[in-house]
Amino acid sequence: MQELDSRLDALRHQLSTIPEAAALAEFTARRTEVDGAARDLQIEVGDLTTEQKRADADVEQVKARRERDQAMIDAGSISDPKALQRMLGELESLQRRISDLEDVEIEVMERLETAQSALEERTAELAKLDRDIEALGHTRAHKAGDLDEQVAAVAAERKTTASGIPADLLALYEKLRVQKGGVGAAALRRRECTGCRLTLNPSDLAAIAAAPTDEVVRCEECSRILVRTGESGL
Ligand SMILES: [Zn+2]
């Protein structure tokens, strides 16, 4: 009985400490983090794409105006020298404006590229995390399934064993198990209680040796039920 309970305790401990479960929790937390970062980058890429289109349009608009002015000059349609002078001055300032706007355009494009490559990295990391999480989930489920089966088998064996033990003895055993760190009964081996590892004194041993085999004997030191075996040294 004690052996079955110890096996059950060990199996339940294993179930609650499957390494894959801990790794899974870690990976899932990391996934949430990366997913949040990817969403932020997605928004940033969207904003920068809009900004880039605007910068492109600004450049195109000023270029169109410059071409219009240039065409008028080339066609010789401005005969007044002062008006021509003004027009040339305007062309110069348009050229400066185009150059400024192109700088803005390049700067936005660079920021967009940086955000895009960061987003790609995050997306790849997410895909890898998803694969790892899936694999860990399978392994964990597999291990848990195996352990559940073992628990069920040992629990069934325990039930059969328990049905052959008198109710009061079973109750005493259960109570001691709770009080004594999961060990309610211990074998008496070579005059030693395997529960508390203490050697029994000769008078206690004599009393145990004299007790009928169906009488429940307890360790004087730790109160556990002592199970007499062929190796008890009585
Ligand atoms: Zn003991």
Side-chain angles (χ1 to χ4, degrees), residues 70-85:
Q70 190 66 54
M72 279 169 81
I73 293 166
D74 293 348
S77 50
I78 306 163
S79 46
D80 174 27
K82 275 185 180 169
L84 184 61
Q85 201 58 47

Side-chain angles (χ1 to χ4, degrees), residues 206-217 226 228 234:
I208 290 167
T213 49
D214 61 348
E215 192 185 308
V216 176
V217 292
L226 279 176
R228 282 165 278 180
L234 293 168

Side-chain angles (χ1 to χ4, degrees), residues 186 193-198 200 219-224 226:
C193 164
T194 54
C196 63
R197 296 282 162 201
L198 287 175
L200 277 69
C219 170
E220 286 297 325
E221 279 303 324
C222 69
S223 312
R224 288 188 178 93
L226 279 176

